Amino acid sequence: MSIWVRVGDFVANVASSALTSIVEAVRTAFEGDPETRRRVSFSIAMIALSAKMAKADGIVTHDEVKAFQQIFSIPESESRHVARFYNLAKQDTAGYESYAAQMAALCGSGHPNCKFLEDILDGLFHIAKADGYVHEKELAFLTRVGEIFGFDEAHFQTIAARHVDLGDADPYVVLGLSRGTSLEQARRRYHQLANENHPDRLAARGVPKEFLTIANDRIAAINGAWEQIEKELKAA
């Protein structure tokens, strides 16, 4: 069964409830099916947090809508359920902090290392930068979501560096390296990240296949950073 049929059925049944009750409903509805729970949770998180980010920024541009569509190819038959849920998320009085905390809790103990949460944050950055610039309010929103997800400043900067220009240190930040690292250390780190972020790994985490757009962007950023660092260190 298509993930969007699952999401559509789920949203049709629970979308009249408060947004903050939906995560618990996902948990119980798919308790015996962890793979479907991850896929539905990811999709719902992306829709809801995208809506919350749009509300924080105060404007939804055509480019942001297009970026959302790049991540999710939603069948016409299910689009009304997604639109209904998106509008619910924008209108719900509960703050996005509460919702983000519930999403983090789905990862259980030790959630700062949960790749599922990094996938969500990467997707939000992809949408935020679609108009060519991550606006101040969007960055504040993303920073707070990162904090709630349990990412320390260095981890958040590594994610952000894949999407925004952080200056001369940018390639090192992308790979989570400090200047002065050796070529061999940098090479090991690069291979580790390339392996961890291979698109097949995302599929294994239950990320919808449409999210391969983000996976490819992530790998491109990692490869680009490594090329710059390798060139610099070999020339040293």
Side-chain angles (χ1 to χ4, degrees):
M1 180 182 293
S2 164
I3 184 62
W4 291 111
V5 173
R6 293 276 194 175
V7 171
D9 288 345
F10 185 79
V11 171
N13 290 328
V14 303
S16 60
S17 304
L19 180 62
T20 49
S21 71
I22 289 179
V23 176
E24 184 58 33
V26 171
R27 188 197 306 273
T28 56
F30 302 107
E31 187 173 6
D33 188 352
E35 180 179 353
T36 299
R37 184 177 70 177
R38 284 195 302 271
R39 296 179 70 197
V40 172
S41 297
F42 174 83
S43 302
I44 286 178
M46 283 302 306
I47 295 167
L49 288 174
S50 295
K52 291 291 190 182
M53 185 167 65
K55 185 175 182 179
D57 183 46
I59 185 171
V60 180
T61 69
H62 174 73
D63 289 330
E64 288 173 338
V65 172
K66 189 174 180 180
F68 185 88
Q69 292 171 341
Q70 287 176 343
I71 299 175
F72 294 120
S73 178
I74 304 169
E76 182 63 31
S77 59
E78 304 303 323
S79 61
R80 64 187 179 90
H81 293 310
V82 173
R84 181 183 180 192
F85 184 64
Y86 185 90
N87 289 330
L88 172 69
K90 284 200 301 182
Q91 297 166 10
D92 187 54
T93 57
Y96 69 89
E97 293 97 337
S98 175
Y99 183 72
Q102 284 190 305
M103 293 310 305
L106 279 178
C107 285
S109 61
H111 70 259
N113 296 317
C114 182
K115 297 295 290 184
F116 166 83
L117 300 176
E118 187 167 336
D119 297 333
I120 293 172
L121 199 55
D122 251 335
L124 292 172
F125 261 110
H126 179 78
I127 294 169
K129 71 179 183 182
D131 56 0
Y133 177 72
V134 178
H135 297 272
E136 183 178 345
K137 289 183 179 179
E138 291 172 326
L139 185 58
F141 176 95
L142 292 164
T143 300
R144 181 61 185 136
V145 170
E147 291 172 352
I148 294 168
F149 282 179
F151 300 133
D152 60 24
E153 183 177 356
H155 194 166
F156 180 82
Q157 289 295 312
T158 294
I159 298 170
R162 297 197 286 258
H163 304 278
V164 298
D165 185 5
L166 298 180
D168 292 341
D170 187 56
Y172 286 86
V173 176
V174 170
L175 298 191
L177 296 170
S178 58
R179 288 191 176 274
T181 189
S182 69
L183 177 61
E184 185 55 36
Q185 288 173 324
R187 182 180 287 111
R188 284 199 299 268
R189 176 61 174 166
Y190 163 67
H191 286 304
Q192 176 191 354
L193 289 175
N195 181 55
E196 289 178 354
N197 292 287
H198 191 280
D200 288 346
R201 289 293 185 97
L202 270 73
R205 296 202 286 271
V207 173
K209 62 182 180 181
E210 290 84 6
F211 199 72
L212 291 181
T213 297
I214 305 304
N216 291 332
D217 284 351
R218 185 185 292 177
I219 286 293
I222 291 170
N223 288 340
W226 165 243
E227 289 175 4
Q228 292 181 59
I229 293 172
E230 182 183 34
K231 182 178 179 180
E232 178 183 317
L233 293 180
K234 282 185 174 180

